[in-house]
Amino acid sequence: MTTTTSKKLTTVDPQAVVRYASGGKEVALSIRIVQELIQPMASDIEAAVFLELCKGQELNPFLQEAYLIKYQKDKPAAMVVGKAAYLKRAESHPQYDGFEAGIIVKPKEGQSYDLEGEVVPEDHDLTGAWARVYRKDRQRPATSRVSLKVYDKNQSVWADNPALMLRKTALVQALRESFPQTYGGVMSGVEVADESVVEDFIETTAREVEASPVDAIEIEETTPDTAETVEE
């Protein structure tokens, strides 16, 4: 089944399988596969948009590169790009030129300062994190600084290792600012309020799907607004 290109996403056969390459590996997805193996609460439209976004950005949801998060059946779903996928996509970009990232700490007495890495010195408080992403075609890096107060929800891995999570948050934001056309408006896992939700999805979606051979289909293009949210 093939549809003509337009600005709206139309309903497609839920059983039809779309095949595309991701990291040199074939991924097979359909609306039904998304609903049965990734997000059982997703509607046909939500599953179709997720499928199209994965295909367009060459993400493999079975390798923890993308998630379809939905808290309740009567609430909207949102696409979440895995943290590793951000760096993976950046490294494949011809203009990518590396990054620096670390944490912001404050001694008991004195001013806050930046540190590389994620080790908090003794007698210091963690207050934030920073990241810089470099491109070969730009004179200045994309810079991000985030505050612990904004992101720390005392849940799951945030409570266990806030320095690690905060550094990743800053890095993801800098990567998104450096490559806006690559990442669009999708969220990253570290920006979901309840990190445990993403951890649950990691356990249930880190597997491959073997679909029966069928002809691939093309889904009509989505508008920028549709691509950003299915409705962080």
Side-chain angles (χ1 to χ4, degrees):
M1 172 183 176
T2 303
T3 60
T4 57
T5 301
S6 74
K7 295 300 181 180
K8 295 182 179 180
L9 180 69
T10 59
T11 303
V12 297
D13 181 0
Q15 303 294 339
V17 176
V18 176
R19 299 180 184 275
Y20 61 93
S22 174
K25 197 171 188 178
E26 184 182 77
V27 179
L29 284 178
S30 70
I31 292 175
R32 285 293 174 261
I33 289 174
V34 171
Q35 292 170 328
E36 292 176 3
L37 298 179
I38 297 175
Q39 178 48 263
M41 290 189 292
S43 67
D44 285 359
I45 294 299
E46 289 171 336
V49 173
F50 178 73
L51 184 157
E52 177 66 4
L53 290 174
C54 286
K55 176 186 175 184
Q57 298 192 29
E58 300 178 354
L59 297 170
N60 187 341
F62 305 109
L63 294 182
Q64 305 176 18
E65 293 182 352
Y67 309 94
L68 186 59
I69 303 295
K70 190 166 185 176
Y71 298 94
Q72 301 176 32
K73 198 171 184 65
D74 60 344
K75 300 294 183 180
M79 179 180 177
V80 177
V81 175
K83 297 179 286 289
Y86 275 85
L87 193 55
K88 176 182 175 181
R89 293 293 300 275
E91 290 175 344
S92 66
H93 196 286
Q95 299 301 330
Y96 176 68
D97 200 25
F99 74 90
E100 296 175 299
I103 56 177
I104 305 170
V105 297
K106 187 180 186 303
K108 298 303 180 182
E109 296 182 3
Q111 300 295 319
S112 299
Y113 61 95
D114 297 354
L115 280 178
E116 289 195 24
E118 56 203 44
V119 178
V120 181
E122 292 185 8
D123 299 324
H124 284 63
D125 293 325
L126 175 68
T127 62
W130 60 273
R132 290 188 289 269
V133 174
Y134 298 88
R135 288 181 55 138
K136 299 173 184 177
D137 58 347
R138 295 180 183 174
Q139 294 183 341
R140 297 181 179 180
T143 302
S144 173
R145 299 179 72 85
V146 298
S147 170
L148 177 66
K149 293 181 180 180
V150 174
Y151 288 97
D152 184 14
K153 307 298 181 182
N154 289 318
Q155 294 174 333
S156 190
V157 292
W158 275 99
D160 295 334
N161 197 341
L164 170 67
M165 298 305 298
L166 205 58
R167 178 178 176 272
K168 288 182 177 180
T169 301
L171 178 56
V172 164
Q173 289 193 3
L175 285 167
R176 190 182 312 177
E177 291 180 11
S178 189
F179 301 97
Q181 293 183 339
T182 300
Y183 300 118
V186 296
M187 298 184 298
S188 73
V190 293
E191 293 174 306
V192 175
D194 187 353
E195 182 70 18
S196 63
V197 173
V198 178
E199 296 301 319
D200 290 341
F201 271 74
I202 288 177
E203 294 179 2
T204 58
T205 63
R207 57 186 180 269
E208 291 288 347
V209 170
E210 293 184 1
S212 57
V214 297
D215 293 334
I217 65 172
E218 295 179 2
I219 299 178
E220 297 183 345
E221 294 180 356
T222 61
T223 63
D225 289 339
T226 303
E228 287 190 12
T229 59
V230 184
E231 9 176 282
E232 245 158 266

